[in-house]
Amino acid sequence: MRKYYVSLLIVLCTALSSLAQKPSRPTASELYHDLQKLNFLGSAMYIAAHPDDENTRLISWLSNDIKARTAYLSLTRGDGGQNLIGPEIRELLGVIRTQELLAARRTDGGEQFFTRAVDFGYSKHSDETLAIWNRQEVLGDVVRAIRKFKPDVIINRFDHRTPGATHGHHTSSGMLSYDAFDLVGDATQYPETAKTYGTWQPKRLFFNNYWSFFNDPERRANADMTNIVEFNTGTYYSSLGLSNGEIASLSRSMHKSQGFGSTGRRGDQSEWLEFLKGDFQKKRTNLFEGIDTSWSRVKGGDAIGAILVPLEENFNFEDPAAMIPSLLHAYEMVRNLEDAHWREIKSKQLEKLILDCGGIFLEAVSNTNSINPKGSYELTLEAINRSDYSVTLVSVTNEQGDKLLDSIVSLRNNKRFNFSTTINSSRTTNSAPYWLNAKGSLGMYQAPEALVGVPETAAPETILFNLIMGRTQFTVEREVVYKYNDPVKGEVYQPLEVLPEVTTSITEKVIIFPGSEAKEVVVEVVAGRDNINGTLQLNHPDGWKVSPQQQLFELENKGASQKLSFIVTPPDIQSEGYLRPLASLGSNFYDKELVSIDYDHIPFQRVLMPSESKVVRIDIQKKGDRIGYINGAGDAIPENLGYIGYDVTTLDPATITSEKIKDFDAIVVGIRAYNTVPELAFKKEVLMDYVKNGGVMVVQYNTNRRLVTEDLAPYHLQLSRDRVTDEHSEVTILAPDHPVLNNPNKIGQADFNGWVQERGLYFPNEWDDAFTPILAMNDKNYPETRGSLLVASHGNGYYVYTGLSFFRELPAGVSGAYRLFANLLSLGN
């Protein structure tokens, strides 16, 4: 798996914790930054639809300039996008993009929330989106997030007044936020969350007008600015050594799976907000006008502010630990506040600031990165106080209250305390992203009530360090982590996870049977503990045969694997279904596959997914054998073509020559290659000569923005944003006699059944008469499009451009997609 290296990650001290992140070690400047945030009692929430929709410039400015608690509510986890860094799609992509959002918030200082809405792919209208999502449930999740976070100011990324003008998810996010603004203060609306979190009424609601609109002087001169406020977000933070634009770009660059690497910007930069609801401030430069953001906001807060504000005004950069007595005094007062909301928030901020000022490091490390339910592990505790202030470690317990350390330990300046013990975990369930534990619908994940909106599943094991500092006693929680030393990276952290005793997997997720011949299917069994032995069977669809019915396996060491072969025979007629391995250890059964996600910009993740492989018996013929493949933005089509017998060779665009490609039966260009592969800008002559000499070139979809060259076909071809998002939409055959629909497979309406997520995207809308449009299709209430599949003769060969979503259909085992793609590759034979 490819890995991406982050050259610089600024971890601001207010950032959220995440599974197995290295502990923050803030500088004195960052401590000062934290103290400034401690003295601001105001909150803002930014709301949009997907990971990468958020305006990181504005989130960073609110968090680091205004010093407000700032959150991003992303309605989805981005499951329906494309992945530019690896093969993960759908649920696994959602896991990656969730962690990318958390990495972005650790960078810009914000917090992160979600709803249960699923990113089911592009939607042309909010009506469709809200029907699939279940409007009332997602609206309830938005209300919940607002009541829980209690923002004074809400900012929508997208305009609620534009249904049908843009992505339906985008418009829906604005519509739901607009409606929620009036509901959150009414206890009769979604009474369960009103009871849990209380009601709340934000002060004002804005729409974040697009920078590109108001940055155009001519547009701005003609725009109605009555309800528009403008802010300069180009602040330079001397205590951090970064401009707001630089922090924003670092945050934006966390969205690597979507290719959103961003260059830092310095200097003035304006943002515009349109007032929508609430109390419109008189001073256009103060978002929090009329809101008391000082300690006076809470009853009893004036006395706390009298302690903390002077610390900020006279911050001791040389010796932050000198502030500890005052911080402890304030901490005791904060714990007695009547306002439960601010009491919890400011207690946590103060606790962290006290520990950081004293250089107090507390860590709980396991000797393994995984245990089984109710398993045991060796735990090493480390505690060190790097200040002259007296700190006493009174006890250490687990979440159940069991004492792990009975003796009282005085933590003297810079004297490390270590202690090891054996832990018997009480955890009975496996670790997993909580939203994937139960099967949801097309538009909604299921989640336990207490976890709705939470960004990720909590660590399975937590240790409590009970400290006394002066006269103050408090408890510090630390997640149990695993760490090791890598010769190149140095200290590497991973989460401790609870995993099954055995997992299974079939490497090929789709197995195509083009005839009735049997195939060998290999199942890998992996041990989750030492010394396991059991039996494995391969469950199969009706009409299919598997031999043998059952096999024994025996594995001596945790992590060891064994491969077992089964012979699978398809029926004589077209059929499809799933092979599902089932491992048995005594009376316990295991049916999960363990998938590892390992990229350097996010924590190491392991996800339990259903262990299965789709099997498809189809009537498919093909001509030709050798295929050259130019990789684009990442897809699984090369291996999918291998499933039906093609010999696929990956081509390096930089070294393509006429001699190297002349013997291929067809050349396929991967998705978005003309957006992501610069070398293709200089290879048209070589590729077109290949086609002229009798070759077939199949170019898959590209976006119409940021092309490395506009000249990607032998004739005029203009890409657009036309797409058909309904995978069930009717397909009209325009050229029934064309070879692409007849040779070697006869393509008919049945071949367009069972498609997933969409028909296709970014179809051309203009083309030369040399192209023959093969298919017509459209979404309901939208005009017909004819650019999904275009074929042109060029010399002795064929050039094909297609926006059909083969990159989704082939991995999903869609029979008709395989048959049609085989015909494309067979055109020259």
Side-chain angles (χ1 to χ4, degrees):
M1 183 176 294
R2 296 165 61 192
K3 299 180 181 180
Y4 282 70
Y5 294 83
V6 184
S7 61
L8 178 61
L9 173 60
I10 301 299
V11 182
L12 299 181
C13 301
T14 53
L16 292 175
S17 64
S18 180
L19 289 177
Q21 284 295 314
K22 285 187 176 182
S24 63
R25 299 176 175 90
T27 64
S29 293
E30 290 168 332
L31 295 178
Y32 174 63
H33 196 70
D34 272 4
L35 181 58
Q36 291 178 304
K37 290 188 175 185
L38 180 64
N39 284 329
F40 189 92
L41 280 71
S43 304
M45 176 175 277
Y46 199 88
I47 298 178
H50 309 108
D52 74 44
D53 283 345
E54 81 273 28
N55 183 339
T56 56
R57 295 186 302 273
L58 196 51
I59 290 175
S60 177
W61 179 77
L62 286 164
S63 177
N64 300 306
D65 191 321
I66 303 301
K67 307 298 188 297
R69 290 177 64 241
T70 307
Y72 174 43
L73 172 59
S74 176
L75 268 58
T76 76
R77 295 177 184 269
D79 329 69
Q82 283 89 53
N83 185 0
L84 300 188
I85 62 174
E88 299 88 357
I89 57 175
R90 296 187 294 273
E91 296 90 349
L92 293 178
L93 179 57
V95 173
I96 290 174
R97 298 189 74 187
T98 293
Q99 290 300 324
E100 288 181 334
L101 267 182
L102 289 170
R105 298 295 78 77
R106 287 192 296 273
T107 305
D108 58 35
E111 300 180 37
Q112 185 62 50
F113 292 92
F114 293 95
T115 74
R116 290 169 292 166
V118 174
D119 178 3
F120 57 83
Y122 191 87
S123 175
K124 288 186 174 178
H125 202 282
S126 54
D127 289 348
E128 177 196 42
T129 297
L130 294 172
I132 293 175
W133 275 356
N134 187 326
R135 180 188 180 113
Q136 287 305 110
E137 289 191 13
V138 182
L139 178 59
D141 289 356
V142 175
V143 168
R144 174 196 298 267
I146 295 172
R147 284 172 172 168
K148 183 177 182 180
F149 189 73
K150 295 181 170 43
D152 300 302
V153 176
I154 297 177
I155 303 170
N156 293 344
R157 180 66 183 94
F158 298 107
D159 193 344
H160 66 286
R161 298 158 295 194
T162 56
T166 184
H167 197 324
H169 297 182
H170 292 171
T171 308
S172 296
S173 70
M175 295 169 68
L176 293 171
S177 174
Y178 190 84
D179 291 347
F181 187 88
D182 295 328
L183 301 179
V184 292
D186 185 350
T188 66
Q189 301 292 327
Y190 301 98
E192 298 83 2
T193 58
K195 183 178 179 180
T196 302
Y197 303 109
T199 58
W200 180 250
Q201 187 53 59
K203 188 76 169 176
R204 48 189 65 105
L205 173 68
F206 295 95
F207 158 50
N208 186 191
N209 272 282
Y210 294 118
W211 177 86
S212 59
F213 181 87
F214 284 105
N215 200 52
D216 184 324
E218 184 176 343
R219 284 181 176 179
R220 185 177 177 183
N222 297 319
D224 181 1
M225 303 294 287
T226 304
N227 291 331
I228 303 298
V229 295
E230 179 181 353
F231 300 95
N232 179 8
T233 62
T235 309
Y236 173 67
Y237 307 115
S238 58
S239 64
L240 300 175
L242 290 166
S243 69
N244 191 72
E246 289 171 317
I247 293 175
S249 70
L250 290 169
S251 175
R252 185 72 171 165
S253 296
M254 290 299 104
H255 296 296
K256 298 185 187 301
S257 66
Q258 302 302 295
F260 282 122
S262 176
T263 300
R265 177 167 177 172
R266 290 151 294 280
D268 292 345
Q269 188 167 17
S270 291
E271 287 289 339
W272 291 269
L273 304 180
E274 179 186 357
F275 172 76
L276 298 177
K277 276 186 182 182
D279 179 13
F280 192 27
Q281 74 266 31
K282 295 177 182 178
K283 294 180 180 179
R284 301 294 182 93
T285 57
N286 183 4
L287 276 184
F288 288 87
E289 180 185 283
I291 304 166
D292 189 350
T293 58
S294 72
W295 279 103
S296 299
R297 179 171 189 161
V298 294
K299 183 180 178 181
D302 284 331
I304 299 170
I307 297 171
L308 295 177
V309 171
L311 292 181
E312 179 184 340
E313 293 172 346
N314 303 285
F315 186 81
N316 189 338
F317 285 91
E318 293 295 325
D319 184 17
M323 299 189 300
I324 291 178
S326 297
L327 293 175
L328 288 170
H329 186 196
Y331 180 75
E332 290 288 355
M333 298 173 72
V334 167
R335 291 206 298 192
N336 291 319
L337 288 175
E338 292 181 15
D339 189 316
H341 174 69
W342 286 110
R343 183 178 66 232
E344 179 182 2
I345 292 166
K346 294 304 176 183
S347 291
K348 289 181 179 178
Q349 289 181 346
L350 263 167
E351 177 188 292
K352 185 178 187 305
L353 185 57
I354 290 166
L355 294 175
D356 288 342
C357 283
I360 299 166
F361 182 85
L362 305 169
E363 189 170 71
V365 178
S366 166
N367 68 329
T368 179
N369 64 0
S370 69
I371 58 172
N372 303 133
K374 289 194 172 183
S376 62
Y377 59 94
E378 294 298 316
L379 178 71
T380 298
L381 305 173
E382 179 180 345
I384 187 169
N385 168 27
R386 289 168 286 189
S387 74
D388 290 327
Y389 197 85
S390 173
V391 180
T392 302
L393 179 59
V394 178
S395 65
V396 180
T397 64
N398 60 16
E399 287 183 289
Q400 292 71 44
D402 301 325
K403 281 193 173 183
L404 309 180
L405 176 68
D406 287 324
S407 59
I408 296 175
V409 179
S410 178
L411 299 178
R412 292 176 295 162
N413 188 353
N414 217 30
K415 302 298 181 183
R416 188 174 64 165
F417 171 76
N418 284 84
F419 176 77
S420 296
T421 186
T422 299
I423 299 292
N424 295 310
S425 174
S426 62
R427 177 71 177 260
T428 59
T429 57
N430 293 314
S431 299
Y434 70 86
W435 62 93
L436 298 180
N437 280 336
K439 186 175 178 60
S441 64
L442 173 63
M444 295 291 291
Y445 284 121
Q446 289 192 40
E449 183 71 18
L451 294 179
V452 173
V454 174
E456 60 182 338
T457 306
E461 297 283 299
T462 300
I463 300 300
L464 310 178
F465 293 81
N466 301 297
L467 302 176
I468 292 180
M469 298 181 68
R471 293 180 297 175
T472 302
Q473 181 170 346
F474 53 92
T475 299
V476 180
E477 294 186 5
R478 288 291 183 263
E479 298 173 352
V480 178
V481 297
Y482 169 73
K483 69 178 181 180
Y484 66 93
N485 184 71
D486 181 271
V488 176
K489 301 175 187 177
E491 190 176 54
V492 176
Y493 281 75
Q494 289 184 357
L496 171 67
E497 296 172 297
V498 181
L499 300 174
E501 294 180 301
V502 63
T503 56
T504 64
S505 66
I506 302 174
T507 301
E508 296 179 349
K509 300 309 175 189
V510 175
I511 305 175
I512 305 297
F513 291 78
S516 58
E517 296 81 9
K519 286 190 175 184
E520 180 186 44
V521 174
V522 177
V523 180
E524 185 174 27
V525 182
V526 181
R529 64 169 173 83
D530 293 339
N531 301 318
I532 65 169
N533 59 79
T535 59
L536 179 71
Q537 65 189 58
L538 189 57
N539 295 333
H540 55 82
D542 291 341
W544 295 67
K545 297 178 182 179
V546 171
S547 177
Q549 293 185 348
Q550 193 176 81
Q551 296 192 62
L552 298 174
F553 62 84
E554 184 173 355
L555 296 165
E556 184 176 349
N557 300 311
K558 178 181 177 179
S561 64
Q562 183 176 347
K563 293 182 177 181
L564 303 174
S565 295
F566 293 85
I567 301 301
V568 177
T569 305
D572 292 330
I573 59 174
Q574 185 161 315
S575 173
E576 62 182 56
Y578 289 89
L579 299 176
R580 293 189 170 96
L582 184 65
S584 305
L585 299 181
S587 59
N588 296 321
F589 297 91
Y590 301 88
D591 61 355
K592 299 295 184 184
E593 175 183 2
L594 185 62
V595 181
S596 295
I597 300 175
D598 191 7
Y599 297 103
D600 283 354
H601 67 297
I602 58 176
F604 177 76
Q605 304 280 298
R606 285 186 290 194
V607 183
L608 289 169
M609 299 290 289
S611 182
E612 60 185 20
S613 178
K614 186 174 184 180
V615 286
V616 183
R617 164 68 170 92
I618 58 176
D619 180 16
I620 186 170
Q621 304 294 322
K622 68 181 186 67
K623 293 183 179 179
D625 180 54
R626 295 193 63 210
I627 306 298
Y629 201 90
I630 299 173
N631 285 325
D635 60 64
I637 286 183
E639 55 196 273
N640 296 141
L641 296 179
Y643 296 160
I644 56 175
Y646 283 106
D647 177 12
V648 183
T649 300
T650 299
L651 301 175
D652 177 5
T655 63
I656 288 177
T657 64
S658 297
E659 182 63 26
K660 285 185 178 180
I661 63 176
K662 65 182 179 64
D663 293 329
F664 287 109
D665 297 303
I667 290 176
V668 181
V669 182
I671 61 172
R672 294 176 65 177
Y674 281 97
N675 298 122
T676 60
V677 183
E679 292 84 356
L680 285 177
F682 313 105
K683 294 296 179 178
K684 180 181 178 181
E685 183 177 350
V686 172
L687 292 170
M688 293 306 106
D689 283 347
Y690 163 80
V691 176
K692 281 182 182 178
N693 292 329
V696 176
M697 182 177 175
V698 179
V699 180
Q700 298 178 85
Y701 99 91
N702 296 272
T703 66
N704 62 346
R705 297 177 181 175
R706 297 181 181 178
L707 289 162
V708 299
T709 175
E710 300 279 348
D711 192 16
L712 45 86
Y715 311 106
H716 173 66
L717 185 71
Q718 179 174 297
L719 305 186
S720 73
R721 298 183 66 84
D722 291 348
R723 62 201 301 161
V724 175
T725 62
D726 182 359
E727 63 268 36
H728 307 295
S729 63
E730 183 178 351
V731 176
T732 301
I733 294 176
L734 300 175
D737 298 327
H738 195 282
V740 79
L741 297 178
N742 293 278
N743 186 22
N745 303 290
K746 180 68 176 177
I747 302 298
Q749 289 294 337
D751 290 294
F752 297 98
N753 295 336
W755 284 50
V756 299
Q757 189 161 322
E758 61 196 353
R759 289 295 189 194
L761 61 171
Y762 291 97
F763 300 157
N765 62 353
E766 291 183 15
W767 52 84
D768 188 272
D769 290 341
F771 284 104
T772 300
I774 306 298
L775 307 170
M777 57 189 71
N778 62 282
D779 284 316
K780 184 178 179 181
N781 299 324
Y782 283 85
E784 181 181 76
T785 63
R786 296 190 167 206
S788 63
L789 180 58
L790 302 172
V791 182
S793 296
H794 184 57
N796 294 321
Y798 289 91
Y799 176 93
V800 178
Y801 190 92
T802 179
L804 293 172
S805 59
F806 288 110
F807 71 101
R808 296 195 192 280
E809 312 313 320
L810 299 192
V814 177
S815 301
Y818 273 94
R819 286 162 44 84
L820 179 55
F821 209 95
N823 279 17
L824 298 180
L825 301 179
S826 301
L827 276 170
N829 293 277

